[in-house]
Amino acid sequence: MRSMLEAYAEVAGADVIDQLHQLAEPLRGKRVVHVNSTRIGGGVAEILNKLVPALEELGIESIWEVLTGESDFYQCTKGFHNAIQGTAADIPPALLRVYEETNAENAERLRPVLAEADIVLIHDPQPAALLRHIPERRGKWIWRCHIDASRPYRPVWRYLRKFVSEYDASIFSLAAFAQPLPHNVYIIPPSIDPLTEKNMDLPEEEIAAVRERFGIDPDRPMILQVSRFDRFKDPLGVIAAYREARKFVPNLQLVLAGGGATDDPEGDVVLTEVQQAAAGDANIKVLLLPADAHRTINALQRAADIVLQKSLKEGFGLTVTEAMWKGKPVIGGNTGGIRLQLVNHETGFLVNTPEGAAMRIRYLLFHQKQRLKMGRNAREFVRENFLVTRHMREYLTLILTLIHGGEERIVLG
Ligand code: UDP
């Protein structure tokens, strides 16, 4: 069977995998331990599912441990999560005690593996208090924050910061998400996995079948936005941009694809507004897809001529990178991580208004050569910067730096 790294080599390039081997060579036999709070569900588990076996293939002993706790522990850490993302809500002292006790218990259980590890990567706030229970630790400890900590609710952050400050380093996803800390802070942006159902190559027939299923005419231009129905994603702005662009491209089709039934009451309100705005126009398809419709989203992204992500506020917009990987120029809101994810005028356009978006849609649909070129640029830009292999490279580089930090030079394999 093909190894995981061989499979990545086919899409990311053999040189990228060679480089990973070189970086891993001085780390052979070292032990890296990851700790998070769940083995399934969520972006962190998804990344660890790939990262841990890939590090093993590179000859680095890799262990993934998961915290165990009762429901009040998760209630507390959910509170941390919301507070880090800015929700002003205090956490009762009784829950903070559960947090600390749960970390203490898990530290006892995991002590042998944590104390002996060369590197420990602690993901998000749930296991952050483990460190203080392992005073005999041998290795370097890194706190990896996957959430947007740009404007945390201060009282809760002050509490968590006590634990995080004890680490040797921390990692945030974007500079804008980071907090000042008394150790080195590194920035490692998110990535996409080119081999998952969301991003893998699809047969033409499958793309055609998805077009047919949703009544999308293959002979007319189609623009797409994939997003939760959320005001920050500006679906109404997308409809306004489409209406404006249609004055010049009368056969244009718009697809807005988003999640299905949701427990977010705001989501339902926005969806209703979108459906009302689209009512009576058969050329706008508002699609409600189930949460696991990864292949369908993949096919829609491939079927589109242009992908929009007209967000008014965005962290790292995965949909931008997903579309670019499929060779599509992206018209994105000039905000947050989108500014890093696309190169204005090279892989797509940054826009501030529906009129701006409409102008770019019109330009791209009237200049096919330019559109295809931007799409090719977009795919290359993702290949170089936003694949999971780059994520691995940055972890390896950081681990090397921490282990060999004091040395004048590090000899690679
Ligand atoms: N997504 C999905 N179904 C939907 C809408 C979005 O699977 O109905 C996926 C999308 O392909 C992307 C992720 O959910 O992988 C959304 O991430 P992004 O960073 O773009 O936005 P967020 O929802 O996290 O703000």
Side-chain angles (χ1 to χ4, degrees):
M1 214 180 92
R2 218 167 36 141
S3 81
M4 196 166 166
L5 290 174
E6 281 164 359
Y8 282 126
E10 278 171 27
V11 267
D15 52 334
V16 169
I17 305 303
D18 287 347
Q19 201 186 15
L20 292 182
H21 280 290
Q22 281 183 352
L23 287 167
E25 183 58 32
L27 297 173
R28 281 185 95 81
K30 297 278 186 215
R31 180 189 284 185
V32 176
V33 178
H34 293 267
V35 187
N36 81 325
S37 63
T38 172
R39 216 168 273 282
I40 19 174
V44 179
E46 210 161 285
I47 295 243
L48 290 179
N49 260 314
K50 301 287 165 153
L51 192 66
V52 170
L55 289 178
E56 279 284 337
E57 266 188 47
L58 288 166
I60 300 170
E61 192 188 338
S62 302
I63 297 174
W64 176 8
E65 297 288 355
V66 174
L67 280 193
T68 51
E70 302 295 326
S71 65
D72 40 5
F73 171 72
Y74 296 105
Q75 197 190 329
C76 177
T77 57
K78 177 79 188 163
F80 286 162
H81 187 103
N82 291 340
I84 289 183
Q85 304 221 84
T87 307
D90 288 306
I91 298 175
L95 280 189
L96 296 180
R97 264 198 309 283
V98 171
Y99 173 70
E100 290 175 28
E101 283 161 15
T102 304
N103 268 270
E105 287 156 20
N106 277 277
E108 275 322 307
R109 182 172 60 88
L110 302 174
R111 180 175 304 282
V113 66
L114 292 177
E116 287 306 308
D118 297 290
I119 291 285
V120 178
L121 272 141
I122 295 290
H123 295 268
D124 285 337
Q126 296 91 333
L130 285 177
L131 171 63
R132 61 173 49 183
H133 298 288
I134 316 286
E136 72 278 31
R137 70 189 170 105
R138 219 164 53 82
K140 303 284 186 191
W141 285 52
I142 307 168
W143 185 59
R144 196 334 171 194
C145 180
H146 294 269
I147 43 193
D148 176 354
S150 50
R151 307 183 65 174
Y153 175 56
R154 286 287 151 191
V156 172
W157 174 244
R158 265 199 301 277
Y159 170 81
L160 279 171
R161 195 178 183 282
K162 282 190 312 211
F163 300 107
V164 171
S165 296
E166 295 167 6
Y167 282 70
D168 298 299
S170 48
I171 307 173
F172 291 86
S173 291
L174 293 174
F177 290 3
Q179 280 295 317
L181 284 161
H183 51 231
N184 281 348
V185 171
Y186 297 89
I187 305 300
I188 301 188
S191 57
I192 60 163
D193 188 328
L195 302 179
T196 55
E197 295 220 302
K198 179 67 69 61
N199 296 310
M200 65 200 271
D201 287 342
L202 292 180
E204 273 308 319
E205 309 82 70
E206 188 168 342
I207 301 168
V210 166
R211 275 200 192 96
E212 200 177 313
R213 182 171 139 211
F214 295 117
I216 300 163
D217 183 344
D219 299 321
R220 290 159 46 200
M222 188 271 264
I223 59 176
L224 166 76
Q225 176 159 300
V226 176
S227 274
R228 292 177 293 110
F229 291 100
D230 180 315
R231 284 189 213 289
F232 287 125
K233 308 287 184 184
D234 200 19
L236 294 178
V238 172
I239 294 178
Y242 151 87
R243 292 236 154 90
E244 184 65 27
R246 250 183 96 89
K247 292 180 187 161
F248 306 94
V249 190
N251 60 354
L252 186 61
Q253 308 171 89
L254 166 65
V255 176
L256 288 165
T262 159
D263 49 4
D264 170 11
E266 174 92 348
D268 286 341
V269 174
V270 176
L271 173 60
T272 307
E273 285 171 8
V274 168
Q275 283 166 333
Q276 279 166 357
D281 186 340
N283 293 304
I284 305 180
K285 316 273 182 219
V286 180
L287 309 182
L288 277 183
L289 302 174
D292 60 352
H294 303 304
R295 280 184 93 103
T296 308
I297 289 180
N298 184 345
L300 286 169
Q301 287 167 330
R302 288 178 193 279
D305 295 289
I306 303 168
V307 173
L308 280 90
Q309 190 54 57
K310 220 204 90 29
S311 304
L312 303 171
K313 192 168 185 279
E314 189 67 77
F316 187 92
L318 278 173
T319 50
V320 171
T321 301
E322 288 163 7
M324 288 170 68
W325 178 241
K326 285 141 201 155
K328 305 300 165 174
V330 172
I331 299 177
N334 185 10
T335 181
I338 297 180
R339 293 201 190 112
L340 293 181
Q341 292 179 260
L342 68 81
V343 184
N344 202 11
H345 295 271
E346 299 293 331
T347 70
F349 294 103
L350 292 171
V351 296
N352 295 296
T353 59
E355 295 72 28
M359 189 178 86
R360 299 311 189 184
I361 294 167
R362 177 182 164 196
Y363 170 81
L364 287 171
L365 291 178
F366 280 109
H367 296 86
Q368 192 196 23
K369 227 170 115 186
Q370 197 57 18
R371 186 176 80 236
L372 296 177
K373 178 160 178 253
M374 280 194 176
R376 285 193 300 274
N377 291 347
R379 182 164 166 103
E380 281 317 302
F381 191 68
V382 173
R383 195 196 305 279
E384 282 168 25
N385 297 288
F386 293 114
L387 293 185
V388 66
T389 39
R390 184 273 308 156
H391 213 143
M392 289 178 202
R393 186 184 74 215
E394 293 189 332
Y395 273 131
L396 288 173
T397 311
L398 176 53
I399 292 172
L400 264 178
T401 313
L402 287 177
I403 290 185
H404 294 273
E407 297 166 26
E408 235 165 65
R409 55 189 193 134
I410 304 170
V411 181
L412 299 181

